Amino acid sequence: MALGFQDDEFQKVCKELEEPQVAGWEFFTESHGVTIYRLFNEKSGLYQYKIYGTLDDVDPQVCADVYMDLEYRRQWDTYAKELQEIEADGKKLIYWQVNFPFPLWNRDYVYSRELRTLDYQGKQMWVVLARSEATPSLPERSGVVRVDDYVQCAVLSTDGKVGTKAYMHYYDNPGGNIPTWLINWGSCYMLCLQPCSETD
């Protein structure tokens, strides 16, 4: 299966965990050991986010396993109408349809995702990259808006004790006629739906 991620993309994300690159980014909030920065996209009117934090009692290997586990996510994420691994156009991809409240149409995503375990400057890191993919063999469904501008990455490493040091980058443009303020609010909410917080 063809993969679209390059080695330098993984290295760049590893560097973010060790040396946060936040020049030009706006500090957004900090709580419970998690710090969030955001950057305004002039073209879309939306924000992208960088999140740095620690999980004091979750091992990075466990966190990576949970992060990649689609079956487990279907159990706890009530907004996931469909979530499955598929093969299309010579690629292994994820299909994800998200329930949106009435009267909005649901959104769906077709994206590539890859996990690599790397040694970076003597530290073991679990790195996940994901981004939307154009898939001619999977046309948009009637009554569902296809999201074609989605990027997410995460890197996990030990905090030096029993927990996990983590970094995440997230951007999502759901399209359609939704006010940008509502999309920005929803993006913040989606950041709270990350699976490592569900292991308790």
Side-chain angles (χ1 to χ4, degrees):
M1 286 292 174
L3 291 174
F5 300 107
Q6 304 300 315
D7 292 346
D8 61 342
E9 294 181 83
F10 287 89
Q11 293 295 318
K12 182 179 179 180
V13 176
C14 289
K15 183 178 180 180
E16 277 278 4
L17 183 64
E18 295 299 294
E19 303 172 37
Q21 307 294 305
V22 295
W25 289 67
E26 173 192 356
F27 171 78
F28 183 53
T29 189
E30 183 174 14
S31 180
H32 302 289
V34 176
T35 304
I36 302 178
Y37 296 86
R38 66 182 185 179
L39 182 65
F40 188 69
N41 184 314
E42 294 284 350
K43 183 177 180 180
S44 67
L46 304 174
Y47 286 97
Q48 56 181 308
Y49 296 88
K50 287 184 175 183
I51 303 97
Y52 303 87
T54 56
L55 299 163
D56 294 335
D57 56 356
V58 183
D59 178 88
Q61 176 68 72
V62 172
C63 198
D65 290 343
V66 172
Y67 193 96
M68 297 294 289
D69 192 336
L70 299 182
E71 181 178 355
Y72 179 54
R73 178 154 191 164
R74 287 195 296 267
Q75 294 177 25
W76 64 261
D77 186 354
T78 58
Y79 290 92
K81 183 175 182 178
E82 292 185 46
L83 182 60
Q84 59 185 315
E85 191 172 77
I86 60 174
E87 293 183 6
D89 303 321
K91 301 175 182 179
K92 183 180 291 186
L93 304 171
I94 306 295
Y95 177 81
W96 178 31
Q97 185 178 152
V98 180
N99 288 317
F100 269 50
F102 180 83
L104 302 176
W105 287 2
N106 284 359
R107 265 54 180 175
D108 71 0
Y109 302 69
V110 179
Y111 63 95
S112 56
R113 182 181 69 164
E114 184 181 352
L115 166 66
R116 292 189 191 178
T117 304
L118 306 175
D119 183 286
Y120 182 79
Q121 298 181 350
K123 296 182 179 179
Q124 187 174 17
M125 296 193 177
W126 290 258
V127 186
V128 183
L129 302 183
R131 63 171 169 240
S132 52
E133 293 279 352
T135 50
S137 65
L138 290 173
E140 294 186 28
R141 299 183 182 183
S142 177
V144 180
V145 176
R146 175 65 49 84
V147 176
D148 59 8
D149 194 6
Y150 164 73
V151 178
Q152 185 171 4
C153 66
V155 57
L156 311 162
S157 186
T158 178
D159 66 352
K161 301 176 183 178
V162 297
T164 296
K165 183 180 178 182
Y167 160 73
M168 179 185 291
H169 174 229
Y170 185 89
Y171 176 75
D172 182 350
N173 183 355
N177 297 317
I178 306 176
T180 54
W181 68 264
L182 183 57
I183 297 173
N184 285 322
W185 175 87
S187 295
C188 293
Y189 181 79
M190 289 297 288
L191 292 174
C192 297
L193 291 180
Q194 297 312 312
C196 285
S197 64
E198 296 293 324
T199 57
D200 294 337

